[in-house]
Amino acid sequence: MSMSPQHVQEHMMTYLESTECQIIEKSPFHVTVKLSPQADKQLTNRPYYWGFVERTGVEPETLSFTFVFDPEQYDKNEQTHTDPQSQPQQDGILSRYFGTAPMVPRIGPGRIQREDVTYGSSRLQQIWNAARQDGSALYLFEQPAALQRETLFSAAYEPWLGVCFKAEMACDVKKEELHFVGISLVSGRIVSHFPERLKGLTMSPRLPENIHIQPASISLSQAAGSLESYMTRLLAEMDYGWAEQARERLSEELAVIDIYYEDLLKEPDEEKLVGIREQYGNRRSETTWQYEPKVHLSAITCGLFHLRSAR
Amino acid sequence: MNTSQISGSGQSQDLPVPLHIDRSWLEQLNNRLEKGGPWGDWRLAQLAIQGEEARLVTSFDELQCLKHLQGLSPLPHQLDTAHKVLFEMSGRAILADEVGLGKTIEAGMILKEYMIRGLVSKVLILVPASLVLQWVRELSSKFGIPAVAQKKAYTWHSDVVVASIDTAKRDPHKEFLLKQEYDMLIIDEAHKLKNKKTTNYQFIQKLRKKYCLLLTATPVQNDMSELFNLITLLKPGQLGRQGDFATNFVVGKRQPKNQDQLKDELAKVMIRNRRGEGPVHFTKRNVSNVSLQLSPEEQALYDGVTAFVKDQYKASGGNLSSMLSLVTLQREVCSSRDAVFLTLVNLSKKIPDESPLTAKVWELVTAIKAIKANTKAEKTIELIKQMNEKVIVFTEYRATQEYLLQYFQTHGLICVPYRGGMNRGKKDWMMDLFRGRAQVMIATEAGGEGINLQFCHHMINFDLPWNPMRVEQRIGRVHRLGQQKDVQIYNLSTSGTIEEHILHLLHEKINMFEMVIGGLDVILERFEKQESLEKSLYKLFLESDSNDEIRQKVSTLGQTLDQIKRQVDYESETVREEEA
């Protein structure tokens, strides 16, 4: 899957807004932003500066960026907007001999660095990773409609454990799957597409008024265990043709190695033989490392979701 | 990991492969519940999930890296190669494309793909010292891979390290590296690992690696066993045991047998794309040799220098090593009086005042003073004005470069210099100026890295290096992938001088200007088993008495080179890829 510039911009804006950055200017092709301290720490890789700020207590000066999502359109726009008169004058003598010399860039605070952000750029990866870090554990409540606050009866809320799992099927090649599943701590019911259960709901960390939370009948670790066995069953039902093929490749490779070392291992010189044995063992274990099929299951995010009980 | 907390946990025996479950999320969740937070932002969590979805690898065998690489449009053969290495060769291969087809691009794509798939994070790239920075730069600019050049001991801890193999194999680095596990090892100029007994070879053999790429333009330099050794480094046993290989595939030292079978076996571990095959199109090289007649004053200087150098050589009893500065003089006299002058001045400083040599040196200086014009420079201006396009002028000498800069400028040409000694920033600036306003670039350096001048298709060899590799490097600056037009090469040579013979050897005998030589380095390496070509040439000139004698000797030299070339051609046919 690739992403359009608009899509990239949406992702970037979500991050900038959630981290409370100050948006200075925005067009369909770019955004100019002064980072919040949180975003600055996550994005600019200036641990020494932030160490200095924390130790001395000075007012931090965060960096500003112009993130450009559609460089072609942005440049076109810029050109039509900038007045040629405002271009700084070149030194006549220098430019006569040396052509157009690049202007010395403005440095120091107040300088706004331009950066093109597209699907493959490391900045986008960085933002996703930062988001994963910041959104790794959640504790959320469904926000009730305005009507609920006025009714006499408090609404029953059901606690759910939701986990977004990432399954990685790896041998010498690799494939991945995401599964966002949820389990009710009251009933133990498992929902395989948890986002569908959350669809249309507004989630917030604030505890709403006039609600009560139903007591859990299963513990968090029990719930986690159930989700895990659910995932394991799901994974067990996959087609494992890929793994079989990988094992075939592995055994072929190992056979080739065995034949190669067969004669060498008859080496009469004990000292040399030690070296050959070691080499042989290393080569075999390297090959196993390369081809052996395996599945790895980890979580992107998880949390407790308090949702209004379905009647 | 805290398995104990999980009750009724699913066991991995349900799956036909080992299942690793990372339960750190539960631990984290419990921790925060105990402390009452801090809790994550729901929007960020959703963004994280969307991010994962956007880069999810949904297929085992579909190239992902291209959509991550803006501004890189790989050529069809490079794509094919990446695809084959990733999905047919399981990431262990020899990339043996001929020079200039972009092995680095192929390796970069393969590496990027593995990194995107999360199969590779720790990478070691070993290259000759002179290429370390170039690799770092290419990986970061073309592939967005944050590679680090190895400088201090701690840089070894970075995820992607580029280092020189000669540093890596020495302690204390070696000891550290042998304890590591590398997801991927890339070795550039891998033909240097042809000998099993060298420390380089043994070091690489011991390094623990999952995927491995060996890059070389010349997988076979001298004999077939080199290829066997290279493959053994990658996949021991692929060509059978050492003995089997010899009986099955080798007749003479350099002659394979059972070619078809060998090709099949090789195709499993090695990819060799060749120039002139498939969709890769190189434009033509058009060569014009411009023969010039020296003015009487210049001729006088030339004769004077030649006589002086020969006398000194005889006086030294044929000892070449003490003659180097004088040999330089002999070469410079073909370039410009300025170059000769500088060397003469330096020479006179070294001779004691009372020595009879001083008089001779001053005699030559007087001859220099008599020269009013530079025949070659005049011709060069004429050529440049005729073509009226961008052109790069190569000279071997700094003094000539300075002279030409000044001479061209007084004739209203905008020109920029380019030298090996310039720092990176200045080099880049000069390139930009040349791309922009300047019509002429005057360069003393062709080797090394970084000058890619595809936008220019005229080059003038103001003087010729005596080492054919340097000539090829010069041409390679303009005649490379991305050059849209036929390349015009002008060689200036003055008749009746050494230059004429050198040009004759390079052009007529090894035909190096027209054919695109990938194997020139191989030819030279074989020839130079006894003595370097440059040295052979010095001797030849110093020891010959007449022009005819020189001509004859040069012609013999040419024949020898030609023979080696045929041999190399024949051999490379056999390691050629089968589909070709």
Side-chain angles (χ1 to χ4, degrees):
Chain A
M1 171 178 160
S2 187
M3 284 167 75
S4 65
Q6 287 78 23
H7 223 120
V8 173
Q9 185 172 23
E10 278 165 30
H11 279 214
M12 184 63 112
M13 292 312 293
T14 307
Y15 174 80
L16 296 176
E17 282 161 12
S18 323
T19 51
E20 293 170 344
C21 295
Q22 186 192 335
I23 312 289
I24 299 167
E25 191 186 83
K26 190 173 171 296
S27 83
F29 318 118
H30 85 289
V31 61
T32 298
V33 63
K34 184 170 164 59
L35 299 180
S36 64
Q38 182 194 351
D40 193 293
K41 280 181 209 167
Q42 284 174 340
L43 301 186
T44 63
N45 190 24
R46 303 192 294 166
Y48 292 113
Y49 175 71
W50 284 103
F52 163 77
V53 168
E54 267 149 39
R55 268 180 286 114
T56 58
V58 296
E59 189 64 22
E61 181 69 45
T62 61
L63 296 186
S64 297
F65 285 92
T66 294
F67 293 118
V68 176
F69 307 103
D70 192 334
E72 216 172 285
Q73 291 293 332
Y74 176 77
D75 288 339
K76 224 194 261 168
N77 257 26
E78 279 296 286
Q79 254 169 17
T80 50
H81 284 133
T82 40
D83 184 0
Q85 288 297 312
S86 69
Q87 288 288 336
Q89 280 290 303
Q90 288 276 332
D91 185 324
I93 294 174
L94 272 182
S95 63
R96 189 171 323 138
Y97 284 99
F98 296 109
T100 319
M103 295 306 294
V104 181
R106 207 174 139 200
I107 48 171
R111 161 182 173 237
I112 298 180
Q113 206 173 317
R114 168 178 171 168
E115 189 177 296
D116 294 352
V117 181
T118 51
Y119 173 65
S121 42
S122 56
R123 185 64 78 193
L124 193 60
Q125 311 279 330
Q126 198 188 21
I127 273 166
W128 286 333
N129 294 340
R132 181 170 172 180
Q133 197 115 68
D134 278 357
S136 60
L138 306 162
Y139 198 82
L140 298 167
F141 300 91
E142 175 186 337
Q143 293 304 296
L147 204 64
Q148 169 61 32
R149 276 184 231 137
E150 289 152 24
T151 57
L152 279 173
F153 304 101
S154 84
Y157 267 47
E158 185 180 4
W160 290 77
L161 170 65
V163 184
C164 182
F165 285 109
K166 181 175 179 180
E168 298 166 75
M169 280 63 76
C171 48
D172 54 318
V173 285
K174 191 178 151 192
K175 187 178 135 173
E176 302 166 335
E177 280 174 13
L178 284 186
H179 296 274
F180 196 165
V181 293
I183 179 169
S184 160
L185 297 183
V186 177
S187 65
R189 188 165 71 91
I190 289 177
V191 175
S192 52
H193 295 282
F194 196 51
E196 261 169 43
R197 177 73 180 76
L198 300 176
K199 215 172 172 182
L201 305 182
T202 313
M203 302 301 298
S204 154
R206 269 185 308 124
L207 179 73
E209 296 164 33
N210 203 15
I211 68 149
H212 66 274
I213 292 169
Q214 292 176 305
S217 63
I218 53 175
S219 74
L220 190 61
S221 51
Q222 277 171 331
S226 301
L227 284 186
E228 232 172 54
S229 358
Y230 173 79
M231 281 308 299
T232 311
R233 270 199 310 277
L234 200 73
L235 292 173
E237 283 162 15
M238 269 189 327
D239 175 13
Y240 280 89
W242 64 273
E244 249 163 67
Q245 284 164 13
R247 286 216 170 105
E248 258 165 49
R249 288 196 290 274
L250 175 59
S251 64
E252 272 169 32
E253 294 294 326
L254 289 177
V256 165
I257 296 168
D258 290 347
I259 292 173
Y260 180 80
Y261 282 98
E262 196 185 344
D263 283 357
L264 292 174
L265 287 167
K266 291 177 189 149
E267 172 70 49
D269 185 339
E270 193 57 40
E271 223 172 283
K272 278 190 195 161
L273 186 61
V274 172
I276 293 169
R277 276 211 189 107
E278 193 189 319
Q279 215 184 77
Y280 174 57
N282 285 347
R283 185 63 199 113
R284 278 194 71 116
S285 79
E286 262 178 24
T287 309
T288 310
W289 176 27
Q290 186 182 357
Y291 288 96
E292 174 124 281
K294 51 203 161 276
V295 176
H296 185 82
L297 188 67
S298 58
I300 307 297
T301 178
C302 64
L304 289 171
F305 296 77
H306 302 91
L307 308 178
R308 199 182 156 108
S309 320
R311 253 160 265 235
Chain B
M1 250 162 249
N2 49 344
T3 27
S4 53
Q5 289 189 18
I6 308 263
S7 52
S9 144
Q11 289 305 306
S12 56
Q13 62 250 33
D14 301 340
L15 271 62
V17 299
L19 170 66
H20 305 271
I21 301 181
D22 178 354
R23 298 193 175 104
S24 53
W25 63 272
L26 183 59
E27 199 177 341
Q28 203 191 16
L29 193 62
N30 275 320
N31 260 336
R32 300 212 184 176
L33 278 171
E34 262 169 47
K35 291 182 193 144
W39 296 109
D41 185 302
W42 176 225
R43 281 175 300 174
L44 288 178
Q46 285 172 302
L47 178 61
I49 294 169
Q50 285 167 5
E52 288 294 334
E53 277 168 353
R55 54 187 158 163
L56 204 65
V57 181
T58 50
S59 153
F60 279 113
D61 51 7
E62 191 183 284
L63 220 49
Q64 309 284 317
C65 63
L66 289 184
K67 35 194 192 199
H68 286 258
L69 300 171
Q70 256 78 24
L72 182 86
S73 32
L75 294 159
H77 76 271
Q78 295 170 334
L79 276 174
D80 278 357
T81 302
H83 213 275
K84 249 191 214 156
V85 172
L86 284 157
F87 306 122
E88 288 170 33
M89 296 169 155
S90 304
R92 280 194 177 228
I94 299 175
L95 303 181
D97 288 3
E98 286 184 342
V99 171
L101 291 177
K103 288 185 287 292
T104 321
I105 301 282
E106 292 165 2
M109 275 166 53
I110 295 163
L111 174 58
K112 182 79 183 178
E113 181 73 24
Y114 277 129
M115 292 181 91
I116 290 169
R117 288 176 175 262
L119 285 165
V120 162
S121 57
K122 243 186 132 29
V123 185
L124 180 63
I125 299 171
L126 297 176
V127 308
S130 59
L131 296 177
V132 169
L133 287 179
Q134 188 181 353
W135 266 88
V136 169
R137 215 173 295 137
E138 285 210 13
L139 284 178
S140 84
S141 68
K142 293 196 179 126
F143 298 98
I145 297 173
V148 173
Q150 195 278 327
K151 281 192 191 120
K152 299 267 163 58
Y154 65 79
T155 40
W156 289 122
H157 296 281
S158 306
D159 275 345
V160 184
V161 184
V162 184
S164 105
I165 188 163
D166 292 318
T167 311
K169 72 171 180 200
R170 286 199 311 262
D171 274 325
H173 311 294
K174 176 183 163 192
E175 199 195 352
F176 174 83
L177 293 174
L178 288 180
K179 282 191 210 137
Q180 307 301 304
E181 291 196 333
Y182 286 100
D183 296 324
M184 181 160 229
L185 174 69
I186 297 177
I187 298 176
D188 197 3
E189 306 289 340
H191 51 266
K192 291 185 178 146
L193 297 172
K194 60 197 171 189
N195 187 344
K196 264 187 166 167
K197 297 198 174 77
T198 57
T199 49
N200 280 0
Y201 190 95
Q202 287 161 5
F203 169 64
I204 301 297
Q205 194 162 40
K206 282 192 191 141
L207 269 179
R208 199 167 153 74
K209 57 220 174 258
K210 182 160 66 163
Y211 306 107
C212 181
L213 300 176
L214 304 178
L215 279 55
T216 171
T218 50
V220 180
Q221 281 184 299
N222 290 303
D223 69 67
M224 294 293 290
S225 71
E226 294 172 0
L227 188 60
F228 182 82
N229 289 340
L230 218 50
I231 289 171
T232 300
L233 209 50
L234 205 64
K235 284 182 152 194
Q238 189 67 38
L239 296 181
R241 288 167 283 203
Q242 185 101 51
D244 300 345
F245 176 71
T247 44
N248 289 341
F249 297 119
V250 183
V251 183
K253 223 180 157 194
R254 294 180 191 158
Q255 280 172 2
K257 63 178 180 184
N258 296 333
Q259 285 198 18
D260 292 339
Q261 202 191 335
L262 179 56
K263 270 188 210 166
D264 287 350
E265 287 304 314
L266 283 179
K268 291 180 192 161
V269 278
M270 181 168 97
I271 298 179
R272 183 160 173 82
N273 296 303
R274 314 182 110 225
R275 286 167 178 253
E277 268 172 15
V280 189
H281 176 66
F282 278 88
T283 57
K284 273 200 300 200
R285 295 176 175 188
N286 295 329
V287 185
S288 327
N289 292 330
V290 182
S291 187
L292 298 169
Q293 200 66 49
L294 289 176
S295 68
E297 295 82 13
E298 285 173 319
Q299 189 67 47
L301 175 65
Y302 180 83
D303 293 342
V305 167
T306 309
F308 176 72
V309 172
K310 274 193 184 162
D311 283 353
Q312 293 304 309
Y313 183 62
K314 281 193 185 123
S316 74
N319 181 355
L320 196 65
S321 52
S322 66
M323 293 286 297
L324 277 179
S325 65
L326 288 177
V327 173
T328 313
L329 205 58
Q330 178 74 73
R331 295 167 46 185
E332 283 169 339
V333 73
C334 300
S335 181
S336 73
R337 58 173 198 154
D338 303 64
V340 182
F341 181 71
L342 214 65
T343 308
L344 280 179
V345 169
N346 288 334
L347 197 63
S348 73
K349 281 185 200 150
K350 282 187 209 144
I351 326 176
D353 285 343
E354 63 275 15
S355 160
L357 276 181
T358 315
K360 285 190 180 163
V361 168
W362 281 106
E363 217 172 277
L364 291 175
V365 172
T366 324
I368 288 176
K369 281 186 184 155
I371 297 175
K372 295 284 173 271
N374 185 323
T375 312
K376 274 183 162 182
E378 282 168 1
K379 185 71 194 173
T380 308
I381 287 257
E382 194 187 311
L383 285 171
I384 294 175
K385 292 206 162 145
Q386 266 170 25
M387 54 184 111
N388 199 24
E389 277 184 279
K390 292 207 186 288
V391 54
I392 178 162
V393 179
F394 279 107
T395 169
E396 287 279 275
Y397 310 103
R398 182 79 192 270
T400 305
Q401 185 187 36
E402 296 286 347
Y403 165 75
L404 287 178
L405 270 175
Q406 189 230 336
Y407 181 74
F408 287 174
Q409 265 164 16
T410 54
H411 283 75
L413 289 175
I414 302 179
C415 47
V416 290
Y418 190 95
R419 286 191 269 282
M422 291 174 171
N423 65 30
R424 188 74 232 162
K426 186 150 184 195
K427 279 182 178 172
D428 287 344
W429 190 30
M430 291 302 143
M431 293 258 289
D432 285 344
L433 291 174
F434 184 39
R435 198 176 291 122
R437 285 181 53 124
Q439 186 189 354
V440 187
M441 174 175 262
I442 305 171
T444 51
E445 189 207 47
E449 33 167 313
I451 26 178
N452 301 328
L453 304 168
Q454 290 98 325
F455 56 87
C456 160
H457 63 278
H458 293 281
M459 65 176 277
I460 296 176
N461 285 312
F462 192 81
D463 42 47
L464 276 178
W466 293 20
N467 177 348
M469 274 316 279
R470 282 181 62 84
V471 182
E472 181 58 30
Q473 278 170 349
R474 284 180 173 186
I475 302 174
R477 292 304 116 203
V478 288
H479 192 237
R480 48 174 44 234
L481 280 182
Q483 177 59 265
Q484 306 288 324
K485 299 196 172 135
D486 290 351
V487 171
Q488 310 290 335
I489 303 165
Y490 301 88
N491 299 309
L492 300 187
S493 87
T494 45
S495 54
T497 67
I498 291 189
E499 224 169 35
E500 200 182 12
H501 297 291
I502 300 275
L503 184 60
H504 178 70
L505 178 72
L506 296 183
H507 192 185
E508 318 264 310
K509 293 294 172 188
I510 31 185
N511 193 19
M512 74 160 300
F513 295 102
E514 267 134 25
M515 81 170 169
V516 183
I517 310 180
L520 183 65
D521 47 351
V522 183
I523 297 173
L524 284 179
E525 185 175 318
R526 274 190 208 169
F527 176 84
E528 294 180 348
K529 282 233 157 109
Q530 295 94 30
E531 194 171 40
S532 86
L533 180 62
E534 267 175 292
K535 242 185 190 169
S536 311
L537 285 170
Y538 292 150
K539 272 202 182 149
L540 190 158
F541 288 119
L542 291 168
E543 286 166 5
S544 301
D545 291 321
S546 70
N547 232 340
D548 280 344
E549 196 180 339
I550 296 181
R551 188 161 296 134
Q552 217 171 35
K553 284 183 178 168
V554 168
S555 153
T556 321
L557 200 68
Q559 271 163 17
T560 316
L561 284 169
D562 191 50
Q563 259 169 16
I564 298 176
K565 187 181 147 234
R566 277 165 209 269
Q567 181 70 30
V568 170
D569 281 349
Y570 172 73
E571 286 160 22
S572 67
E573 284 304 296
T574 57
V575 285
R576 178 174 193 158
E577 222 196 337
E578 57 180 329
E579 74 195 39

